[in-house]
Amino acid sequence: QRFLSVNPAYAAISGQTAEHLVGKEIQELSDTPKRNQVYAQIFQEVQTKDQWQGELLEKRYHGDYYPQWTQINAIHDERGQIKYYAGMVSDLSFRKAADKKLNYLLNYDDLTKLANRAQFKDQLHRALLHYKDDQVPFALVMLDIDRFKQFNDSFGHEASDQLLREIA
């Protein structure tokens, strides 16, 4: 469970040099929460199934955490004993950020930043269940803008958008 070699891509992802990584145990360098328990579980699975893959939360050398997809495979010698482990790592930061942005775009209005109809209904449903169970009173306020089309026609889209943002 020591690094024998490291490619430049992993060094770049981790923020460390290959020279620093080679020879060190994975648990020694990992900042995954509860790393000893996590890696004990991972290597137990690798020993029984010859591979493990999953998402870990790791910390770069300069300190920020990032989501990492890790795959570890067992490499056997001629007698069938595990001799080495081969690992592949992918930085999921960009994909997670893209997923978060897509989720936002699917659930919120870009102009007002308010929840769209589907998201609003979901949030209202969850709030009703929560407040009903805890018997907490609440109020729902709905605003309707009368003659908005006339405002839009008279003052233009830019002014109408600004009005909607301010009301929101």
Side-chain angles (χ1 to χ4, degrees), residues 83-163:
K83 187 169 183 177
Y84 301 108
Y85 299 100
M88 286 189 353
V89 168
S90 298
D91 182 349
L92 298 177
S93 301
F94 297 113
R95 195 188 94 211
K96 293 267 185 176
D99 288 349
K100 187 176 179 180
K101 178 149 177 87
L102 179 60
N103 185 53
Y104 179 83
L105 291 172
L106 289 172
N107 292 297
Y108 293 88
D109 179 73
D110 200 36
L111 177 66
T112 64
K113 310 298 186 232
L114 294 175
N116 66 18
R117 188 168 302 173
Q119 180 68 2
F120 170 74
K121 284 181 179 179
D122 182 55
Q123 288 180 10
L124 180 61
H125 178 74
R126 283 187 277 132
L128 287 170
L129 291 175
H130 172 72
Y131 293 130
K132 180 182 149 214
D133 292 344
D134 295 345
Q135 296 183 347
V136 176
F138 78 98
L140 173 64
V141 178
M142 288 183 53
L143 298 177
D144 186 26
I145 305 170
D146 290 336
R147 296 181 296 281
F148 184 75
K149 184 179 178 340
Q150 290 171 322
F151 185 91
N152 196 26
D153 291 344
S154 299
F155 298 103
H157 294 291
E158 195 63 42
S160 299
D161 288 353
Q162 183 60 35
L163 176 64

Side-chain angles (χ1 to χ4, degrees), residues 19-64:
E19 294 78 27
H20 177 77
L21 294 166
V22 171
K24 302 263 176 42
E25 289 186 19
I26 195 167
Q27 289 94 328
E28 182 182 343
L29 296 169
S30 174
D31 271 311
T32 292
K34 298 183 179 181
R35 68 176 174 254
N36 291 333
Q37 295 168 309
V38 169
Y39 279 103
Q41 219 174 344
I42 288 171
F43 282 105
Q44 178 66 36
E45 187 168 325
V46 173
Q47 290 189 2
T48 58
K49 298 180 181 176
D50 282 344
Q51 69 97 26
W52 178 87
Q53 60 181 343
E55 187 175 328
L56 297 172
L57 185 63
E58 276 298 348
K59 188 189 259 187
R60 294 184 213 283
Y61 187 69
H62 49 77
D64 64 318

